[in-house]
Amino acid sequence: MMTDGNSIDIADLPERFRTQSNENLTADETFLPLEEIERRHVLRVLKAVGDNKVRAAEVLKIGRATIYQILSRMKIAE
Protein backbone atom coordinates (compact mmCIF):
# COMPACT_ATOMS: atom_id res chain seq x y z
CA MET A 1 0.00 0.00 0.00
CA MET A 2 1.34 3.39 -0.82
CA THR A 3 0.89 6.36 1.47
CA ASP A 4 2.43 9.80 1.66
CA GLY A 5 3.46 9.46 5.30
CA ASN A 6 4.60 6.90 7.83
CA SER A 7 1.10 5.86 8.82
CA ILE A 8 -2.05 4.75 7.06
CA ASP A 9 -4.92 7.20 7.24
CA ILE A 10 -8.60 6.67 6.45
CA ALA A 11 -8.11 8.43 3.12
CA ASP A 12 -5.57 5.74 2.16
CA LEU A 13 -8.15 2.95 2.48
CA PRO A 14 -10.36 1.72 -0.38
CA GLU A 15 -13.80 3.34 -0.59
CA ARG A 16 -15.59 0.24 0.70
CA PHE A 17 -13.72 0.59 4.02
CA ARG A 18 -14.28 4.33 4.32
CA THR A 19 -18.06 4.19 4.26
CA GLN A 20 -20.29 2.43 6.72
CA SER A 21 -22.27 -0.40 5.21
CA ASN A 22 -25.80 -1.19 6.27
CA GLU A 23 -26.21 -4.00 3.74
CA ASN A 24 -27.19 -6.53 6.41
CA LEU A 25 -29.84 -4.27 7.93
CA THR A 26 -33.31 -3.69 6.61
CA ALA A 27 -34.54 -0.14 6.30
CA ASP A 28 -36.47 -0.54 9.55
CA GLU A 29 -33.35 -1.74 11.44
CA THR A 30 -30.98 0.97 10.30
CA PHE A 31 -31.93 3.43 13.04
CA LEU A 32 -33.51 1.68 15.99
CA PRO A 33 -34.08 3.30 19.36
CA LEU A 34 -31.52 2.19 21.94
CA GLU A 35 -34.29 0.63 24.04
CA GLU A 36 -35.26 -1.63 21.11
CA ILE A 37 -31.66 -2.66 20.55
CA GLU A 38 -31.37 -3.49 24.26
CA ARG A 39 -34.61 -5.49 24.15
CA ARG A 40 -33.50 -7.52 21.14
CA HIS A 41 -30.08 -8.19 22.63
CA VAL A 42 -31.48 -9.29 26.00
CA LEU A 43 -33.95 -11.61 24.27
CA ARG A 44 -31.19 -13.02 22.05
CA VAL A 45 -28.99 -13.73 25.08
CA LEU A 46 -31.88 -15.26 27.02
CA LYS A 47 -32.65 -17.57 24.12
CA ALA A 48 -28.97 -18.56 23.84
CA VAL A 49 -28.81 -19.54 27.53
CA GLY A 50 -32.10 -21.42 27.58
CA ASP A 51 -33.99 -18.63 29.37
CA ASN A 52 -31.69 -18.91 32.40
CA LYS A 53 -31.89 -15.35 33.74
CA VAL A 54 -28.95 -15.74 36.12
CA ARG A 55 -26.73 -16.98 33.28
CA ALA A 56 -28.03 -14.21 30.98
CA ALA A 57 -27.07 -11.61 33.61
CA GLU A 58 -23.58 -13.13 33.77
CA VAL A 59 -23.22 -13.04 29.98
CA LEU A 60 -24.45 -9.44 29.87
CA LYS A 61 -22.15 -8.56 32.79
CA ILE A 62 -24.98 -7.08 34.81
CA GLY A 63 -26.37 -7.94 38.23
CA ARG A 64 -29.07 -10.54 38.64
CA ALA A 65 -31.47 -7.89 39.96
CA THR A 66 -30.77 -5.74 36.90
CA ILE A 67 -31.86 -8.46 34.46
CA TYR A 68 -35.16 -8.73 36.33
CA GLN A 69 -35.58 -4.94 36.25
CA ILE A 70 -34.93 -4.87 32.51
CA LEU A 71 -37.40 -7.69 31.89
CA SER A 72 -40.00 -5.97 34.06
CA ARG A 73 -39.51 -2.64 32.28
CA MET A 74 -39.84 -4.37 28.92
CA LYS A 75 -42.93 -6.22 30.15
CA ILE A 76 -41.36 -9.56 29.31
CA ALA A 77 -42.97 -12.40 31.25
CA GLU A 78 -40.71 -14.18 33.69
Side-chain angles (χ1 to χ4, degrees), residues 4-43:
D4 293 331
N6 293 331
S7 61
I8 299 172
D9 195 9
I10 292 174
D12 298 317
L13 298 174
E15 177 67 26
R16 69 175 190 251
F17 294 120
R18 288 186 281 172
T19 59
Q20 184 178 9
S21 174
N22 290 327
E23 294 173 2
N24 297 332
L25 299 176
T26 66
D28 293 338
E29 293 175 324
T30 303
F31 298 107
L32 291 174
L34 187 56
E35 188 172 337
E36 177 63 16
I37 293 168
E38 178 187 46
R39 185 185 76 76
R40 290 180 184 196
H41 186 60
V42 168
L43 290 175

Side-chain angles (χ1 to χ4, degrees), residues 40-60:
R40 290 180 184 196
H41 186 60
V42 168
L43 290 175
R44 189 177 308 120
V45 170
L46 277 168
K47 183 178 179 182
V49 297
D51 288 325
N52 183 324
K53 292 167 187 69
V54 173
R55 181 68 186 124
E58 290 172 357
V59 169
L60 293 167

